[in-house]
Amino acid sequence: MVNQFGNPIIMNRQIVLKIALLFFLFIGKVSAQDRVRVESVEAFNNAVSQAQPGTTIVLANGVWQDAELLLEGKGTADAPIKLTVEEKGKVTLEGQSYLQIAGEFLHVEGLVFKNGYTPTNEVISFRKNSKQLANNSRLSNCVIDNYSNPERHEQDSWVALYGKNNRVDHNHFEGKGNRGVTLIVRLNSKESIENNHVIESNYFGPRQNLGSNGGETLRVGTSHFSMEKSNTLVQGNYFDRCDGEHEIISNKCDQTTYKNNVFFESIGTLTMRHGDETLVEGNVFLGNRKRNTGGIRVINGQQTVRNNYGYGLTGYRFRGALVVMNGVPNSPLNRYFQVEDAVIENNVFVNSDHVQLCAGSDEERSATPVNSTFTNNTFYLDKPSKLVTVYDDISGIAFKNNRTNHPINPDLSEGFKVKKMRLVQDKNGLLMPAIGKKIISPKLADVLPTKENTGTSWYSKEDKRIAFESGKIHSVKAGVNKLFDAIKNSNPGDILELAESASYELTKLPLIKHPLTIRAAANQKPLILWEKKAAFDIVNGGELQLKGLTFDGENAPDGSGNAVIRTSKYSMNKNYSIRIEDCSFDNLDVNHSFDVIRVYKNTFADEIHIENSTFNNITGHVMALDRETDDVGIYNAEYVTLINNHFSNIQGTVLSLHRGGKDESTFGPFLYLDHCTFDNIGFGSRNKYKAAINLYGVQDIVIKNSVFTKTYKIKMHLVVGEPIVNVSHVRLEDSNQIEVSGDQKYSIGKLYTDGDNSNMFGSDNKKLGVQTKK
């Protein structure tokens, strides 16, 4: 050390040591203040209370159980207050944990929520309360994975944005199983209006069909505040099989932009449900011919839809590739405002089935689109089809310079030119139409969002739903409860093979907790007997496939309520499937209400598929899928498929399938019945439906190539959604006619009266013809 003249200063050694010690203590104090590692909620709260701009609070590795965290403070743009983790992927918030963010310039990253659910309305909330919100804050590189309330219809949201100028980016959201929006932007106060939020580069992973309203993946606004401006930007996100309900995205405010997002095999549409001046630009919808995949639905005023691309979209009606709705004159906030001043231009759709114009037209929704343009759009189809459906007056839409490769409706011919096209692959691997050497392509992002470049880089995006027959094969010896033990010790996807012609007795009730296949090892069907109220109970997470087995109910207990397969009596927040092939069900007549499949409220089957099977002597129903009868649009099964089965001496119904209410946010149920025979069905004194098949509110009905002999009537009550009814090549021998009620349009095809069985498959002999109701 020198003085101001450059001469050395001689200091006492002790003084030098003290100065050095103070220096290092000072440095250590600053370092601790900048980055604070905490191992408990108490330590976290203490760190938050002392945090200054630039402070980073680090959650220690491990499981944080029932952690209620509030990150509150005021950072700066250059020095935000940050909450992070010791190592990404090694810190999980579980049980009933949640996070609130309140203040200015706060940044949260690296959190993982799993193995639990929030006890509040939101897992991550950008507010402490209605007065203390978060502004200029960021949520990035976080994960919420299957963090769902066990009560299927108990509502919550995973992320709720309040305040202004917040950013949600590079997060991973997957597997929401209960009612409620995955990510929601709230506009319920002036402090949250014109918010300028940015939602970008997030991975929205698979969301199962909820089977009711309330399954949106993203919603901006609500109907009550739909006249307010949001100015939210949603861009560069990847929506992977988001199947919750009709509206993958529900826009309910003014001035939101949806740009350069990719929707991969997601059922439903990006819907401009409420609010005006929405921009939908440069988005990609990849349906890949998956059932009910859709594109864009236009409602309200001054909407712009341009430069979007759709491939292989199969949805119809409200979930079509491109849907322009009718509105309600002088509409209340919660209904449908008229489409006016819409600009729909430069969009390309390839092998997508349905363009719906004036969709939803009825006595209430009678306001047709006005002052709108439909320009320079291109539609390519491999083969001719009825691409465009017009439900009302479209004179308020000006069509110009649109292209197709097959003729469409004659009344649109002036606005559509038929051109010879071929498909070529662009730099992103998308198939684009080409006319000569010119490729017809919308203006898309240079780099599209993908599963790999969105969300987090450190958290797995592998599919979590296990397929049937994807595990190990286990041979199961015959005997009492040998099958029970094998089920108890099985793993997801396993196959249990039963010995030829052997008997398997169950004195205990097996719980099916994961996807499991039970099948015969050879052609001779093993026999299954049981002494409990059911042979199998499917509980949350369980799925069951049965092949080549015989079920006999002779050992079942006396008393009501027996079944072969039943679901949990408690709410299930995971969907399940049942597949039955080449099985026999006999002597289910121990009591007056013995069903084959019995379900309970708040459970939902993606699919029940029964093929090449026989059902004989049953006092109850084959399938009682009618436990949601509150008329609010909730139902028990999406796809029910019956192929090449024989049903005889069934006192109840073969199928009772119920979907009540008039809500239009859901898809099904769907029934496909082909090559089945029915003999003496539905005449039991306890059959409250007085029917062989009872369908209430089913959206798509196919019954064909089947014979009904001495059966009670087939009943259909059509109440919502312009259902499709296709009954053809059906033979009724000494049976009641089909009874149709309700207020929806329908048509029924070829029916046959008593006569030769050959008539079932297409002869016009004794044809009843087409019955139509309007």
Side-chain angles (χ1 to χ4, degrees):
M1 186 176 291
V2 298
N3 63 16
Q4 58 183 330
F5 300 107
N7 298 319
I9 299 174
I10 308 298
M11 298 184 67
N12 181 285
R13 179 182 178 87
Q14 221 172 15
I15 294 173
V16 172
L17 288 174
K18 287 181 178 179
I19 292 171
L21 180 61
L22 288 171
F23 175 78
F24 284 113
L25 286 173
F26 176 73
I27 293 296
K29 186 175 180 182
V30 171
S31 178
Q33 186 180 24
D34 285 347
R35 189 172 179 87
V36 184
R37 181 178 179 274
V38 296
E39 297 184 349
S40 67
V41 174
E42 292 75 18
F44 168 83
N45 291 337
N46 184 59
V48 170
S49 68
Q50 299 184 45
Q52 301 296 320
T55 298
T56 297
I57 301 170
V58 181
L59 301 187
N61 286 351
V63 176
W64 289 65
Q65 190 76 18
D66 301 331
E68 301 180 4
L69 304 181
L70 169 61
L71 180 63
E72 185 176 22
K74 290 189 177 182
T76 66
D78 296 328
I81 297 172
K82 190 173 183 179
L83 170 61
T84 188
V85 296
E86 188 171 7
E87 293 180 82
K88 289 184 174 68
K90 294 187 178 181
V91 176
T92 60
L93 291 96
E94 303 186 11
Q96 297 195 38
S97 299
Y98 63 92
L99 170 69
Q100 294 175 302
I101 307 167
E104 300 282 342
F105 295 104
L106 307 172
H107 183 184
V108 177
E109 70 169 16
L111 305 185
V112 177
F113 289 86
K114 61 188 297 187
N115 299 327
Y117 63 98
T118 178
T120 67
N121 291 327
E122 296 141 356
V123 179
I124 299 175
S125 178
F126 279 67
R127 72 171 186 174
K128 178 181 179 180
N129 53 46
S130 61
K131 301 297 183 184
Q132 295 172 282
L133 313 179
N135 299 298
N136 304 299
S137 295
R138 182 180 180 191
L139 177 74
S140 66
N141 269 282
C142 289
V143 175
I144 307 179
D145 183 358
N146 283 281
Y147 201 65
S148 301
N149 194 299
E151 288 295 330
R152 185 181 188 88
H153 294 292
E154 187 70 28
Q155 182 168 304
D156 59 46
S157 297
W158 277 3
V159 176
L161 274 166
Y162 300 86
K164 296 186 179 183
N165 305 313
N166 295 312
R167 183 181 178 200
V168 177
D169 66 285
H170 294 91
N171 299 288
H172 179 125
F173 307 118
E174 176 184 0
K176 195 172 195 306
N178 65 308
R179 185 193 297 265
V181 184
T182 304
L183 192 159
I184 186 168
V185 177
R186 297 283 191 182
L187 281 74
N188 55 349
S189 69
K190 64 180 182 180
E191 291 80 13
S192 296
I193 294 168
E194 298 186 42
N195 51 64
N196 298 307
H197 297 320
V198 176
I199 301 168
E200 65 181 346
S201 300
N202 299 288
Y203 173 73
F204 292 94
R207 177 165 188 178
Q208 65 184 13
N209 187 345
L210 183 63
S212 78
N213 191 8
E216 304 100 320
T217 294
L218 173 64
R219 189 171 84 215
V220 182
T222 60
S223 59
H224 186 72
F225 296 95
S226 60
M227 307 301 286
E228 304 293 348
K229 294 179 176 63
S230 181
N231 298 337
T232 297
L233 173 62
V234 180
Q235 69 175 0
N237 301 284
Y238 191 83
F239 295 84
D240 182 7
R241 291 162 289 170
C242 295
D243 299 344
E245 60 143 275
H246 265 184
E247 298 176 9
I248 306 165
I249 292 179
S250 182
N251 185 81
K252 296 187 175 182
C253 60
D254 289 352
Q255 296 184 358
T256 305
T257 297
Y258 300 94
K259 189 172 184 179
N260 300 335
N261 302 285
V262 170
F263 299 79
F264 178 78
E265 295 183 2
S266 293
I267 293 176
T269 62
L270 190 168
T271 301
M272 287 160 269
R273 184 64 183 86
H274 298 302
D276 301 333
E277 301 178 69
T278 312
L279 173 61
V280 178
E281 181 175 28
N283 301 283
V284 173
F285 300 83
L286 300 176
N288 296 330
R289 304 304 299 171
K290 177 181 171 181
R291 288 185 291 194
N292 296 312
T293 48
I296 300 165
R297 185 154 67 116
V298 182
I299 315 165
N300 309 295
Q302 298 80 52
Q303 314 288 36
T304 301
V305 178
R306 68 187 180 209
N307 286 312
N308 300 284
Y309 174 83
Y311 175 81
L313 305 174
T314 62
Y316 64 93
R317 201 171 178 265
F318 289 3
R319 54 187 176 273
L322 181 58
V323 182
V324 181
M325 292 285 295
N326 259 21
V328 177
N330 302 311
S331 176
L333 286 176
N334 66 338
R335 292 304 290 154
Y336 289 82
F337 278 71
Q338 184 178 28
V339 173
E340 55 181 324
D341 306 316
V343 175
I344 301 171
E345 62 185 9
N346 301 323
N347 302 287
V348 173
F349 291 92
V350 174
N351 288 328
S352 297
D353 293 347
H354 295 287
V355 175
Q356 310 276 279
L357 303 177
C358 302
S361 175
D362 57 21
E363 291 184 4
E364 181 201 24
R365 289 181 294 228
S366 60
T368 58
V370 294
N371 301 324
S372 297
T373 59
F374 195 102
T375 307
N376 202 37
N377 301 288
T378 303
F379 300 89
Y380 176 93
L381 294 168
D382 280 342
K383 56 184 179 181
S385 69
K386 188 178 179 181
L387 172 67
V388 179
T389 305
V390 178
Y391 296 92
D392 209 327
D393 178 14
I394 57 171
S395 61
I397 306 175
F399 296 90
K400 185 178 180 182
N401 294 332
N402 300 289
R403 294 172 290 265
T404 67
N405 62 325
H406 293 292
I408 59 170
N409 304 46
D411 54 339
L412 300 179
S413 58
E414 290 186 6
F416 284 77
K417 300 299 181 184
V418 178
K419 300 285 187 180
K420 186 176 181 180
M421 301 182 195
R422 57 192 175 89
L423 292 179
V424 298
Q425 204 170 56
D426 73 358
K427 63 180 181 180
N428 292 306
L430 302 176
L431 291 173
M432 296 292 178
I435 302 175
K437 294 183 178 181
K438 181 181 179 181
I439 298 175
I440 309 300
S441 177
K443 186 177 181 181
L444 302 175
D446 291 335
V447 179
L448 292 177
T450 66
K451 193 172 183 177
E452 291 71 32
N453 66 17
T454 54
T456 65
S457 60
W458 46 269
Y459 195 84
S460 173
K461 297 184 180 76
E462 289 185 5
D463 285 348
K464 293 181 174 60
R465 192 161 185 177
I466 306 299
F468 286 127
E469 302 185 57
S470 61
K472 295 180 178 180
I473 300 175
H474 305 274
S475 296
V476 183
K477 294 181 179 180
V480 177
N481 289 327
K482 296 294 185 181
L483 179 56
F484 176 92
D485 294 337
I487 292 171
K488 184 177 180 180
N489 296 320
S490 67
N491 292 309
D494 279 358
I495 304 156
L496 306 183
E497 283 198 342
L498 310 189
E500 181 178 355
S501 300
S503 293
Y504 292 80
E505 298 179 49
L506 294 166
T507 66
K508 296 184 284 187
L509 176 58
L511 300 182
I512 308 300
K513 299 180 179 180
H514 47 244
L516 184 66
T517 297
I518 305 172
R519 72 187 187 194
N523 292 328
Q524 297 298 316
K525 294 180 180 178
L527 175 64
I528 296 178
L529 304 159
W530 63 99
E531 296 181 5
K532 302 293 286 183
K533 285 287 187 182
F536 307 110
D537 253 11
I538 297 177
V539 298
N540 205 28
E543 304 189 69
L544 184 61
Q545 180 173 249
L546 305 172
K547 290 185 173 182
L549 309 174
T550 293
F551 294 86
D552 196 307
E554 66 177 14
N555 290 350
D558 292 332
S560 62
N562 286 350
V564 181
I565 304 166
R566 69 182 185 189
T567 67
S568 172
K569 295 180 181 179
Y570 306 102
S571 184
M572 292 168 57
N573 65 12
K574 290 183 171 61
N575 296 358
Y576 68 94
S577 293
I578 295 174
R579 294 188 65 89
I580 298 172
E581 298 178 25
D582 192 29
C583 291
S584 299
F585 298 83
D586 300 306
N587 303 318
L588 308 186
D589 55 2
V590 172
N591 58 49
H592 59 72
S593 57
F594 205 143
D595 300 336
V596 177
I597 298 173
R598 173 172 293 183
V599 305
Y600 288 89
K601 290 188 69 171
N602 299 329
T603 66
F604 189 81
D606 284 330
E607 177 188 43
I608 297 177
H609 183 108
I610 303 176
E611 188 168 356
N612 298 327
S613 297
T614 62
F615 302 81
N616 186 48
N617 293 333
I618 299 172
T619 57
H621 308 287
V622 175
M623 285 180 285
L625 309 178
D626 55 0
R627 294 303 183 261
E628 305 282 1
T629 59
D630 298 329
D631 279 342
V632 291
I634 301 173
Y635 54 107
N636 290 121
E638 188 74 355
Y639 291 97
V640 178
T641 303
L642 302 172
I643 299 175
N644 199 35
N645 303 298
H646 177 68
F647 304 92
S648 61
N649 301 318
I650 314 293
Q651 294 186 31
T653 63
V654 167
L655 172 64
S656 179
L657 182 57
H658 186 103
R659 182 247 188 265
K662 289 185 174 291
D663 185 86
E664 296 172 303
S665 300
T666 51
F667 312 104
F670 298 82
L671 170 64
Y672 182 85
L673 188 158
D674 186 16
H675 282 86
C676 291
T677 57
F678 302 80
D679 186 9
N680 190 27
I681 310 296
F683 292 103
S685 60
R686 295 179 181 272
N687 182 356
K688 64 179 180 179
Y689 297 114
K690 305 301 181 186
I693 294 176
N694 184 66
L695 308 175
Y696 189 109
V698 179
Q699 293 296 283
D700 194 315
I701 300 167
V702 176
I703 301 175
K704 64 181 182 178
N705 304 327
S706 297
V707 175
F708 294 79
T709 303
K710 296 182 180 179
T711 67
Y712 221 132
K713 64 185 68 173
I714 300 170
K715 295 175 70 172
M716 305 178 193
H717 188 60
L718 309 177
V719 291
V720 66
E722 298 175 16
I724 296 173
V725 180
N726 178 5
V727 180
S728 63
H729 302 96
V730 169
R731 182 180 181 80
L732 303 173
E733 293 186 351
D734 194 19
S735 299
N736 292 106
Q737 295 295 310
I738 296 173
E739 177 184 302
V740 182
S741 58
D743 58 2
Q744 299 295 303
K745 299 176 182 178
Y746 72 91
S747 65
I748 293 179
K750 297 178 180 178
L751 301 175
Y752 301 91
T753 59
D754 298 351
D756 191 284
N757 283 344
S758 64
N759 293 337
M760 183 177 69
F761 299 108
S763 167
D764 286 336
N765 185 35
K766 299 182 180 177
K767 184 175 66 175
L768 296 181
V770 177
Q771 303 174 4
T772 304
K773 176 183 177 182
K774 295 183 178 180

